[in-house]
Amino acid sequence: QVHVVESGGGSAQEGGSLTLSCAVATYSEAVGRVAWFRQAPGKEREGVAEIVRTSGQTYVARSLRGRVTISQDSAKTTVYLQVNSLKPEDAGMYYCATGPRVCLIGALDSRCYNTWGRGTQVSVSS
């Protein structure tokens, strides 16, 4: 069955690093693509990064390249998001989502994703 469960959220220090985990269903074409999105209070949801489970191809939002890494374990049942050099602007609710392997809309587009986790909260202290 399709499922998405995030973990790893909490408090982190500005300038530090944080790793979030997303448990996903075993592979099928319906869950071939996994992404992380985030939303700060009062702001719109934005895409962070995505990965294609079969090929390992990744895409990171342009403004976050160099600080964000998305990866998966060898069994392809867990997807990780690592954020380095944390800034106060990184705080918010982080969501993991899954969708079909093939999406012709575009990179890191929320319309490609049909199943979402409940989210995990991240706070950044100075």
Side-chain angles (χ1 to χ4, degrees):
Q1 292 81 18
V2 174
H3 68 272
V4 182
V5 181
E6 306 99 330
S7 63
S11 299
Q13 198 167 33
E14 183 178 1
S17 298
L18 185 70
T19 299
L20 306 178
S21 299
C22 176
V24 297
T26 54
Y27 180 80
S28 72
E29 285 293 307
V31 291
R33 184 180 296 263
V34 183
W36 285 93
F37 294 82
R38 69 183 185 183
Q39 186 170 24
K43 294 185 177 293
E44 292 187 25
R45 184 176 61 200
E46 63 177 346
V48 179
E50 67 181 356
I51 185 169
V52 178
R53 296 172 70 185
T54 51
S55 68
Q57 183 179 6
T58 62
Y59 182 87
V60 178
R62 191 164 297 167
S63 63
L64 297 175
R65 292 173 188 176
R67 296 201 300 119
V68 169
T69 301
I70 187 169
S71 61
Q72 62 185 347
D73 65 359
S74 59
K76 298 182 174 64
T77 55
T78 303
V79 174
Y80 303 97
L81 181 74
Q82 181 174 347
V83 184
N84 298 324
S85 301
L86 284 162
K87 303 176 180 179
E89 298 77 42
D90 292 321
M93 186 70 74
Y94 283 69
Y95 299 92
C96 185
T98 62
R101 181 181 66 84
V102 177
C103 183
L104 303 179
I105 299 173
L108 202 55
D109 194 304
S110 63
R111 291 174 293 177
C112 292
Y113 297 90
N114 50 39
T115 304
W116 295 71
R118 292 180 294 175
T120 185
Q121 184 71 45
V122 172
S123 61
V124 181
S125 60
S126 60

